[in-house]
Amino acid sequence: MMPQMHNDPASNAVAGCGPLIPPLSDSLRPLRQQIFERVRAAGMIARVQVAKDLAVSPASVTMGVSELIEAGLIEEVAATREGEASRGRPAVALGVRAEAHRVAGIKLSDREHTAVIVDFAGNLIANEVVERKPLAMTLPQMLAAMENLLDKVCAKAGIGRKELSGLGLGLPGFVDQQSGTVLWSSVMMDRNVGLAAIAGAHLGIPVHVDNDANLVTLAELWFGVGRRLSDFAVVTIEHGVGMGLVVNHRIYRGAHGLGMELGHTKVQLDGALCRCGQRGCLEAYVADYALAREATTALNWMGKDGQSINILLESLYDHAKAGNASARSIFRRAGRYLAVGLSNVVNLFDPSLIILSGERMRFDYLYAADTLAEMENLAIATGRPRPPIEIHAWGDMLWAQGAAALALSALTEDLMAAGRDSASREVAAQ
């Protein structure tokens, strides 16, 4: 089983954005919201097709569509019928009113900060990246960095910060997404910070915070190959090791918003020290800082302490490719531990697809044939095929798009709730 390698998210581009949930599988959500999400996912769709997909009457769809058009959330667009490009009246379809709202997404990381702005239909308007030194920040420093980055990307988009309807924020660590609290992060000096509320007050817009691995998973769910899958897993390998899991078209976060910390599952009792403070975590053998630590010791690179981890790892990789036995053994060991982690994902969740994502996917040791063979050997032998593995090597900008998807999702929920409250008040008034 050899993985598929993808280097450009545009190669997976399809019309619309958001999960492509099969018809009739989500009937508990209000019809108005189902209609909107069906239109957004399709990009452009006829009323009659919406009625067929949702198995409701055309009259019900017409009523819901009228409410959404009146609210300024969707609009009628001309759709040329096949074979009728030059004659007759064009067909009328529905599409999301892209200019209705704009949201931003920011990914904070140990090496760089990235930001995007997308419109209400999920189209990318602008992006920005700011390099940084890999040092933990105080809360004031983090707020200043966010404000600086947000102002830069807004200037590129030609809009003011107040024109944004929301901001999604991703960072590594333990994040309670529901409360917006960052319990611990490698980029923050402080612990147990209500970052969503603090950043929202500082920036003057609603802010939603999540673990960065969840956000790259959201990016796959909204814009990538995960749109058509009900269940899949994303394993991210960067300065840390993270994981996101989608179950029934929705991201799974756990009872306290802290689920899927694959990097902090234990693969060696009393093993290597992890940056979380515990020992034997998977991350302590596979992540950037773990490889750099191994290289410094095994190759006697003590004099390279001042170099960035990126440069050090590229040098390590070059040595391995050139045949250096010590460099190769470092990568081989990391690959074996990764195989343990991936086999646990297969045994626990049986996903339809595993996506390995992150800049380190350029290091092919992570998905070498012997690593995948070891994963096969460690997974339960059921006689059924293992889930396919895809390699997505694009960088932090996709993670920022996942943060934007978080903001779009929260905005949609708020707008639909406002619509329900307004309808309830009208009924009560009658």
Side-chain angles (χ1 to χ4, degrees):
M1 176 184 65
M2 289 303 295
Q4 299 180 38
M5 180 74 177
H6 296 271
N7 288 304
D8 182 2
S11 64
N12 298 314
V14 293
C17 74
L20 289 163
I21 301 174
L24 306 181
S25 67
D26 199 29
S27 58
L28 295 180
R29 294 166 83 74
L31 180 59
R32 183 171 180 264
Q33 187 161 351
Q34 291 184 60
I35 293 171
F36 175 79
E37 291 175 347
R38 182 68 51 185
V39 172
R40 181 176 61 194
M44 188 168 62
I45 188 171
R47 281 179 173 82
V48 63
Q49 189 61 48
V50 174
K52 288 180 180 178
D53 287 352
L54 300 180
V56 297
S57 69
S60 297
V61 169
T62 296
M63 182 180 300
V65 165
S66 296
E67 292 175 2
L68 291 167
I69 290 176
E70 186 176 346
L73 303 182
I74 66 173
E75 60 187 357
E76 293 182 330
V77 292
T80 303
R81 295 188 181 94
E82 189 174 346
E84 297 184 9
S86 60
R87 60 184 177 82
R89 184 176 178 181
V92 175
L94 303 170
V96 171
R97 187 168 164 264
E99 65 273 18
H101 294 276
R102 297 179 183 87
V103 301
I106 288 179
K107 158 75 184 296
L108 303 178
S109 77
D110 299 273
R111 298 182 314 276
E112 63 185 16
H113 300 325
T114 51
V116 299
I117 290 178
V118 303
D119 63 26
F120 198 41
N123 301 308
L124 180 65
I125 298 174
N127 58 59
E128 183 62 87
V129 59
V130 174
E131 301 291 334
R132 67 175 294 257
K133 294 182 178 179
L135 298 173
M137 295 178 286
T138 64
L139 181 58
Q141 288 173 332
M142 176 170 283
L143 293 174
M146 290 168 52
E147 185 173 18
N148 174 59
L149 180 57
L150 190 59
D151 286 343
K152 283 187 175 182
V153 75
C154 282
K156 274 192 173 181
I159 63 173
R161 192 196 310 168
K162 298 295 184 182
E163 295 178 62
L164 295 172
S165 298
L167 166 67
L169 176 66
L171 67 167
F174 308 141
V175 181
D176 182 343
Q177 192 275 327
Q178 188 170 3
S179 68
T181 302
V182 180
L183 305 179
W184 170 84
S185 173
S186 62
V187 301
M188 289 186 67
M189 289 185 180
D190 305 292
R191 289 176 176 256
N192 298 313
V193 177
L195 188 58
I198 294 172
H202 183 79
L203 299 173
I205 54 176
V207 174
H208 309 275
V209 183
D210 206 346
N211 168 270
D212 57 357
N214 282 341
L215 295 185
V216 76
T217 306
L218 272 178
E220 296 287 0
L221 180 64
W222 275 65
F223 306 108
V225 297
R227 294 190 64 204
R228 299 183 181 276
L229 300 176
S230 63
D231 306 89
F232 66 94
V234 176
V235 175
T236 61
I237 302 167
E238 295 268 337
H239 196 64
V241 175
M243 178 177 165
L245 181 70
V246 168
V247 178
N248 193 24
H249 303 280
R250 289 185 176 83
I251 194 163
Y252 175 80
R253 292 189 174 89
H256 303 98
L258 303 175
M260 301 302 105
E261 284 293 343
L262 178 67
H264 299 286
T265 57
K266 303 303 180 279
V267 295
Q268 182 72 52
L269 291 177
D270 301 320
L273 181 65
C274 179
R275 61 179 176 166
C276 75
Q278 296 191 0
R279 289 187 174 274
C281 296
L282 174 63
E283 180 177 295
Y285 296 92
V286 178
D288 281 6
Y289 68 89
L291 297 178
R293 181 172 58 196
E294 288 284 318
T296 301
T297 302
L299 300 176
N300 195 25
W301 284 357
M302 301 300 180
K304 297 189 177 186
D305 284 348
Q307 286 188 353
S308 72
I309 284 183
N310 271 354
I311 293 175
L312 197 151
L313 290 183
E314 291 295 341
S315 179
L316 178 66
Y317 189 56
D318 289 342
H319 276 71
K321 286 296 185 183
N324 184 294
S326 295
R328 285 188 171 185
S329 69
I330 292 172
F331 284 129
R332 172 62 181 146
R333 183 183 188 218
R336 294 192 68 191
Y337 277 110
L338 178 61
V340 172
L342 293 179
S343 67
N344 288 337
V345 172
V346 173
N347 291 340
L348 283 170
F349 305 111
D350 186 28
S352 61
L353 172 69
I354 296 177
I355 298 171
L356 298 181
S357 183
E359 189 177 354
R360 294 298 158 244
M361 293 305 101
R362 294 183 296 107
F363 297 161
D364 53 12
Y365 76 93
L366 286 170
Y367 52 93
D370 50 357
T371 296
L372 296 179
E374 192 139 17
M375 184 200 81
E376 292 264 357
N377 293 334
L378 293 170
I380 297 171
T382 62
R384 296 186 177 182
R386 304 281 183 250
I389 294 177
E390 291 193 4
I391 312 300
H392 293 184
W394 43 79
D396 277 4
M397 206 58 73
L398 184 75
W399 302 51
Q401 283 188 266
L406 176 69
L408 278 177
S409 179
L411 174 62
T412 301
E413 293 290 340
D414 289 346
L415 291 171
M416 295 301 137
R420 291 194 295 272
D421 292 345
S422 176
S424 298
R425 288 193 294 270
E426 290 179 8
V427 171
Q430 295 172 0

